Amino acid sequence: MLPLLLAWLHAVNDLFSNFLTPLLPKLMAHFGVGLGTAGLLVSVYSLTGSLFQPLAGLIADRMDRRLLAALGPLLVALGMGSVGLWPRFEVLLLVLGLAGFGSALFHASGASLVGELAPRDRKGFWLSFFGSSGYLGLSLGPIVALWAAGAWGLKGLFWLTPLALVPALFLLRLPPVRRQGRPAALADFLRVFRGDVARLWGMATLRSLVFMSFSTTLPYWYAQRGIPDAYTALSLSVYSFSATLGAFLGGTLSDRLGRKAVLVGTLSFGLPLYLGLLFLPPENPLYLLLLAVTGALMNAGIPVAVVMAQELAPGHTATVSGLLMGFTWGFAGLFYAPIGHLIETYGVIPVLLALGSLILPAWFLACSVGEARKMGA
C-alpha cells in the first residue's frame, strides 16, 4: 500500500513541477514582465527543488518521513496551483521557492521509504516503479497545465490541488514510519563526498549534464534546421515517455542482473547511441526510434544508482537519496547557462560532441564503485 501511495504522490508532485515552463507566456502577460524576469520563477523553483535535496535528506533522516512525503507534494501543488492568485511577482517567487523545497523534501523522504520498506530482492523494482511514476508526471505536466489554464484561466489551476491532497491524506492515515539507524548529521553528509557514494554522485552528475544539455538544446537545434514545431514536440514526448519506461526497467533488471552490471552496461551503450543522435539527421525516419532507445537506456541507470547508494549507506537513506536524485540534476543544471553560450558561439554539434566525452569518466566512475554486501553473506 505504502509504495503505491508514494508512487501516486511522486507522479502528482512532478506533474505540478512541470507546470512552469509551458505557462511562462501566460505568466509574462499576467505580471507584465519579460522572459528574462519570468525565467527567475523556473530558476528559483529548480534551485530549491534540486540543490536542497541533500539538506532535505538530513531533515528526513531525523523526522517521520511519512509526514514529509505527504507535506512535500502539498506544498508543490499549492505553490503551482496558486500562480495566478498572487498580485505581486516577488510574492510568487517566494511561494515557488517554498514549493521547490517541498519537492526536495518529498524526493528525499519518499525514495528513502521505498528503499527501506521494499524487500531486498525487489528493491530495484520498487524504486524504479517509484522513479518512473515521477517521469510519467513530468510527461503529463505541460498537457494538464495548458489544458487547465485554457479552460479555467491561471486562477483556475487551484482546482487541481486535490490531486495532491487526496493521496497525502491517505498517506497520513497510515502508521508512522520509524527511522532506521542513527540520524544523519552534517559530518555524515560531508563524508558522502568520499568513497563509493561520492563516485556514484560524480557518475550521475556527469551523465545528467550530458543528457540534460542534449534534451534542452534539442528544440534550438531543430529550429536551426527548420524542423516544424509539431515534430519537435513529438521528439520531446518520445524522449520523456521512453525515459519513464527506462527508469522502470533499469531498477527491475538490476534485481536480476546486479546493480553494477546494469549501471556500467547502460553507460557502455550510452556513448555510441549518443553519438548516433548527433550524426544521424533528425529528419531520418529512424531518428525517433534512436531517440527512444537512448532515452530509455540512459535513464535506466538513475534508480539503480539510488538503490546502490542506499545499500552503501543504509543508515542514511534519505540523505543519499536526495544527493543521488535532484541534487545531481540541479548541480548539472548550473552549468547549462555557460554551455548555452558556447553553443551559440561554436555551434550545436561541436559543443554536444565535446560534452559526450564526459560519458567516459562517468563510465570509469561506475566501474570503480563496489556493491554493498548482501545480508548474511
Side-chain angles (χ1 to χ4, degrees), residues 257-277:
L257 304 178
R259 316 286 188 219
K260 187 172 179 178
V262 172
L263 197 62
V264 173
T266 54
L267 286 167
S268 299
F269 288 102
L271 183 55
L273 288 174
Y274 176 78
L275 294 176
L277 289 175

Side-chain angles (χ1 to χ4, degrees), residues 39 58 61 78 120 152 161 178 192 196 218:
L58 288 172
D61 271 333
L78 290 171
R120 184 177 178 86
W152 307 323
T161 54
R178 301 299 177 188
V192 164
D196 284 335
L218 186 142

Side-chain angles (χ1 to χ4, degrees), residues 338-365:
I339 288 172
H341 288 300
L342 289 174
I343 287 173
E344 290 179 333
T345 303
Y346 298 105
V348 172
I349 299 302
V351 175
L352 292 185
L353 274 176
L355 282 174
S357 65
L358 297 179
I359 297 176
L360 291 175
W363 182 86
F364 281 111
L365 286 171

Side-chain angles (χ1 to χ4, degrees), residues 321-332:
S321 295
L323 185 74
L324 265 295
M325 294 182 72
F327 189 68
T328 58
W329 289 96
F331 193 82

Side-chain angles (χ1 to χ4, degrees), residues 91-249:
V91 177
L92 181 56
L93 277 176
L94 181 64
V95 169
L96 291 184
L98 183 61
F101 190 66
S103 181
L105 286 175
F106 171 75
H107 281 99
S109 56
S112 172
L113 284 173
V114 173
E116 284 192 6
L117 299 178
R120 184 177 178 86
D121 61 346
R122 298 283 285 166
K123 186 177 291 189
F125 168 80
W126 282 112
L127 267 170
S128 63
F129 184 77
F130 174 79
S132 58
S133 65
Y135 279 111
L136 181 62
L138 285 173
S139 302
L140 295 176
I143 300 172
V144 174
L146 291 174
W147 171 80
W152 307 323
L154 285 176
K155 293 183 178 180
L157 294 172
F158 198 77
W159 292 108
L160 297 175
T161 54
L163 291 174
L165 179 62
V166 172
L169 291 176
F170 276 125
L171 183 59
L172 291 175
R173 290 178 62 87
L174 298 179
V177 178
R178 301 299 177 188
R179 184 195 54 78
Q180 298 179 12
R182 179 176 59 87
L186 181 60
D188 297 303
F189 173 69
L190 295 176
R191 277 195 292 270
V192 164
F193 288 93
R194 298 198 298 266
D196 284 335
V197 175
R199 295 186 188 97
L200 280 172
W201 174 80
M203 176 278 304
T205 301
L206 290 173
R207 181 191 58 199
S208 299
L209 179 58
V210 174
F211 284 91
M212 175 190 293
S213 299
F214 171 79
S215 60
T216 306
T217 306
L218 186 142
Y220 174 81
W221 184 33
Y222 277 20
Q224 280 190 330
R225 300 177 69 97
I227 295 175
D229 290 344
Y231 188 77
T232 302
L234 176 61
S235 297
L236 291 173
S237 297
V238 166
Y239 187 83
S240 296
F241 281 107
S242 65
T244 304
L245 179 61
F248 177 72
L249 292 177

